[in-house]
Amino acid sequence: MKLVFDRGTLLLRGDLAGAESLPGVLWDPRVRAWRAPACCHVELARELARRGVDFDDDVLPQLTNAPPIPCPELRPYQAGAIAAWERAGRRGIVVLPTGAGKTRAAVAAIARTGLRTLCLVPTRVLMAQWVKTLGEAGLGPVGEYGDGRRIEQSVTVATFASAILHMETLGNRFDLLVVDEVHHFGSGSGDEALEMCTAAARLGLSATLPEDEVRRAGLGALIGPEVYRASVEELTGRYLAAFHLVTISVGLTPSERSAYDAEMSVFRPVCRAFFEMAPGASWSDFVSAAGRSDAGRRALSAWRRSRTIVRFGAEKRAAVGDLLLRHHDARILVFAADNDTAYAVAREHLVQPITCDIGPAERTRALDRFSTGELRILVSARVLNEGLDVPAADIAIVVGGSQGSREYVQRVGRVLRPAVGKRAVVYDLVTRRTFEVHHADKHRRALASS
């Protein structure tokens, strides 16, 4: 019998009694053979050997390993994280705050194992950042899959989107899989990129794992369990910049309040009735159920309009202006709810927006100018949330719109990268007597525990 890699899956060629009980194996009637996800390779080969099955394992080609490099000097918590990962059989997730050096920990994992490595990142901007960091560590030339490039090397970085497209050919060419911002996986969406890879060693990196137990279980199956965690509180002051969180309470104008209350009067009864009938349901369950009735669809539309009203009301607009004026000599990141709000701030204060509409070359120039001080303020909706290094920033203004506690923690983390004498300030603008009050309380609890 022969075990081969076939377009992101494993194919068992030949007769095999009891194949249906092997790990991950299903019958494929199209080719009249047994097939399994590529991620089951080690477990499947081990089980075949245990059963005494005579088989040829032709899954992995003979390829050159990553170039040997000395392990970079690590902070104690980074060293502890990699040690914990190794004790867990080189499978698992490391949770470190934004700015704590997750990429450096990944470089150490690559150096210590010497394995061919595929690094997955969510965006093209992060891909460029990882390529630069890995190259500076001596792991170059570094391959790239994304942003129009398809270059394979013993250490390669790919965007999530490119990995999904090309894993049917890349899936058996790496022995270590590193996944940055791993919390994007585990829900089913995009998980096939991890399932189609044979790499036995897997390292997930995140600042904030999902709270949903189903998603955590999914990540455990795809990457491994959480093996190490360090919190913001543990690292602040020595390894992360000390920071002060200031909540600024703002109101709505009479017309804004009237409009908000009208929308919520449509939304609340429908939402309340649903959760009284299904107390254990999730928000996504409610959205799915609401979409199946006229009343539910009206409620969702009212909910979306209520968000628009509080997104950048008159008092928030004034508060942003006051803060930008007060910190006229600081490097400031303004986090908006959406691109429209980001552009509104940019037009009003003549500052640089960083959005998904901005091309990579212009975005790189803007970040470089910000780091040198030529630009003092950047405003963004989502692009700056994950992974990007903006160590010069010492003030964050969260205007609104964070989708959850994870995004909030990521935004705060953007100003926590340490510098001599740095003390960061995070301003959280919260609209009184709106949903933002509840969200702010939840976000602060998440920040304290992250």
Side-chain angles (χ1 to χ4, degrees), residues 30 57 66 150 161 171 187 189 230 263 307 319 351 379:
R30 299 168 299 177
D57 190 344
R150 299 181 189 177
S187 63
S189 177
E263 301 296 356
R307 266 61 186 162
V351 298
V379 56

Side-chain angles (χ1 to χ4, degrees), residues 86-123:
E86 290 179 322
R87 286 196 302 272
R90 294 179 174 176
R91 284 182 68 91
I93 299 171
V94 169
V95 182
L96 294 175
T98 300
K102 293 187 288 294
T103 309
R104 191 174 185 83
V107 171
I110 299 170
R112 289 171 69 104
T113 62
L115 297 174
R116 286 181 63 88
T117 303
L118 178 63
C119 304
L120 303 186
V121 299
T123 65

Side-chain angles (χ1 to χ4, degrees), residues 102-107 110 117-137 139 142-144 155-158 178-181 203 205 387-389:
K102 293 187 288 294
T103 309
R104 191 174 185 83
V107 171
I110 299 170
T117 303
L118 178 63
C119 304
L120 303 186
V121 299
T123 65
R124 295 172 298 173
V125 178
L126 267 178
M127 183 182 77
Q129 187 169 294
W130 269 74
V131 168
K132 180 182 178 183
T133 301
L134 295 173
E136 290 173 347
L139 288 165
V142 179
E144 299 177 67
V155 177
T156 297
V157 185
V178 176
V179 186
D180 194 16
E181 311 294 356
L203 172 61
L205 304 170
L388 286 180
D389 282 324

Side-chain angles (χ1 to χ4, degrees), residues 185-200:
F185 295 96
S187 63
S189 177
D191 287 356
E192 61 267 30
L194 309 187
E195 294 170 349
M196 294 169 70
C197 183
T198 58

Side-chain angles (χ1 to χ4, degrees), residues 251-283:
L252 294 173
T253 66
S255 61
E256 290 170 344
R257 172 59 63 186
S258 176
Y260 178 82
D261 290 344
E263 301 296 356
M264 294 304 287
S265 69
V266 175
F267 167 73
R268 284 196 183 103
V270 176
C271 183
R272 187 181 299 116
F274 173 82
F275 283 104
E276 285 176 353
M277 293 290 293
S282 66
W283 171 254

